[in-house]
Structure formats: structure tokens, C-alpha cells
Amino acid sequence: PEAIALGEDTGKDPRLVGAAGALAAILFIALFRLRRLGPLDFWAWLALNVVLVTGLAFILDKDYARRLKEDLASGVLRKVALGIGSAAALYAIFAVGRLLALRLFPFAAAGIGNVYGLKTGVPLLRIVLLIVLIIGPGEELFWRGFFQERAGTTTSRGFGFALTLLLYTSVHLASGNIMLVLAAAVCGVCWCWLYMRFRS
């Protein structure tokens, strides 16, 4: 509280970083359990959660905007290429994983179907725009750029990686869908490692 009153960089306070992670967990667990909030469907509620936690990250971490600006000012083409390459690799991993899961696990088909069922009745263009403009960038800004960065700064990079991966994956448990949890774990390992390795 004193740090906030004095206008200090509260993003370095491990208690406030932990509180931001706890708030994100509460918001996303509620989303995965209920899937709807009044007039908000799953996608609108997800986008709202992302905006809230990302906004909180910038409020708590006074240095975040400067770090982000510096990140965007150097090696952009290389970073874009790395992003596209890692996305292609993840796509291949999931394509193979889907085939294996369908052969090995009797519950896999229903779990995968439930993931795709989230888009039922929602215009595809709206989902794509929300993912590309808000959900995708916002989740990276919060989970990796803020939470992993600050958790790693106050302890160690390895601990920041592990804690972010654990929290990011565990909120998906509220969905009750083991396939979604496994997908989150795989993505979390990839994205958390990329951030730890390239700090971007």
C-alpha cells in the first residue's frame, strides 16, 4: 500500500505480483466453470478477463510500457519469424497429438469436441478478431511479459517459468476437460520457454 501511495514500481513487489496471479486464476477459473456471464458469452468474457488482467499488469508494473517499447524496437522481423515458426511447430505437435490421443484415450474425442464446441453459435469472424486483437496478445502480455517476468525477477528465471506454467495450466482444470488441460500445458511449456529464452 505504501508503494502505491508513493507511486513506486509495484510490479517488483512479489506480494502484488502474486495477488495479480491469484486474481487472474479466479477470473479464468470462473470463466471455465460457468462459460457465460450474463449477456457475455465465453469469448466476450474471456476477452474481458484478458483486458482486466493486462490492464492491471500495466498499472502495477510502471516499467512495463518502457520494456515493451524497447522489445518492439529491435529485431521485429526475427521475432515475427520465430513466432510463425513456433506456431507451425505447435500446430504439427497438436496434429500428431490429436491422432495419438484419439487412438489411445477413449475420452479424447469428447474432450476435443468440447473444445471446438465453444465456438458453436458464435460468428467465426468475431472469434478470430477477439483472438488476434485481444485474447492472444493480452494473454502473452499478462502471463509471460508481466507474471513470468516479475516472478522470475523476484526469484529466478527457472522459478518464474515453473510458476507461470503451473498457474496457466491449472486454471484450465476448472473446465473439467483433460484434453484442454493437456493442450494448455503443451502451449504453456512452449510459450514460457520462448519467453525465458528470448525475453520477448
Side-chain angles (χ1 to χ4, degrees), residues 9 14 26 50 66 71 85 92 99 114 123 140 150 176 192 194 196:
D9 186 359
I26 291 167
V50 168
R66 180 193 60 77
D71 185 25
L99 292 174
N114 287 339
E140 286 310 297
R150 285 315 189 184
C192 289
L194 283 170
M196 186 171 68

Side-chain angles (χ1 to χ4, degrees), residues 61-102:
D61 189 347
K62 306 301 182 191
D63 198 38
Y64 196 1
R66 180 193 60 77
R67 291 197 326 268
L68 184 60
K69 186 176 179 181
E70 288 176 358
D71 185 25
L72 292 172
S74 63
V76 173
L77 290 179
R78 175 176 158 273
K79 291 170 184 173
V80 168
L82 181 62
I84 293 170
S86 63
L90 267 178
Y91 186 87
I93 289 168
F94 277 102
V96 172
R98 179 180 182 275
L99 292 174
L100 290 175
L102 290 173

Side-chain angles (χ1 to χ4, degrees), residues 32-33 35 114 172-181:
F32 285 117
R33 288 299 297 165
R35 298 192 177 193
N114 287 339
H172 292 80
L173 288 168
S175 69
N177 185 339
I178 190 65
M179 298 308 294
L180 182 60
V181 175

Side-chain angles (χ1 to χ4, degrees), residues 3-195:
I4 295 173
L6 295 172
E8 296 175 10
D9 186 359
T10 54
K12 294 178 182 176
D13 185 335
R15 296 167 300 176
L16 289 174
V17 173
L23 175 64
I26 291 167
L27 290 173
F28 287 105
I29 287 170
L31 167 72
F32 285 117
R33 288 299 297 165
L34 304 175
R35 298 192 177 193
R36 190 165 197 93
L37 181 65
L40 300 178
D41 63 20
F42 177 86
W43 298 100
W45 190 5
L46 174 56
L48 175 62
N49 283 355
V50 168
V51 168
L52 290 174
V53 297
T54 304
L56 179 63
F58 279 95
I59 290 169
L60 291 179
D61 189 347
K62 306 301 182 191
D63 198 38
Y64 196 1
R66 180 193 60 77
R67 291 197 326 268
L68 184 60
K69 186 176 179 181
E70 288 176 358
D71 185 25
L72 292 172
S74 63
V76 173
L77 290 179
R78 175 176 158 273
K79 291 170 184 173
V80 168
L82 181 62
I84 293 170
S86 63
L90 267 178
Y91 186 87
I93 289 168
F94 277 102
V96 172
R98 179 180 182 275
L99 292 174
L100 290 175
L102 290 173
R103 288 181 179 231
L104 298 174
F105 306 116
F107 57 83
I112 293 169
N114 287 339
V115 172
Y116 286 107
L118 292 171
K119 65 185 180 71
T120 302
V122 183
L124 181 60
L125 179 61
R126 183 162 79 88
I127 295 173
V128 169
L129 289 175
L130 286 174
I131 289 174
V132 170
L133 299 177
I134 299 175
I135 297 167
E139 284 202 357
E140 286 310 297
L141 288 170
F142 177 77
W143 288 112
R144 262 60 66 175
F146 170 73
F147 191 79
Q148 183 176 342
E149 171 68 21
R150 285 315 189 184
T153 299
T154 57
T155 54
S156 69
R157 287 191 189 181
F159 182 79
F161 170 94
L163 184 61
T164 305
L165 174 60
L166 178 65
L167 190 58
Y168 178 77
T169 302
S170 63
V171 299
H172 292 80
L173 288 168
S175 69
N177 185 339
I178 190 65
M179 298 308 294
L180 182 60
V181 175
L182 289 172
V186 170
C187 288
V189 167
C190 176
W191 295 330
C192 289
W193 180 84
L194 283 170
Y195 186 80

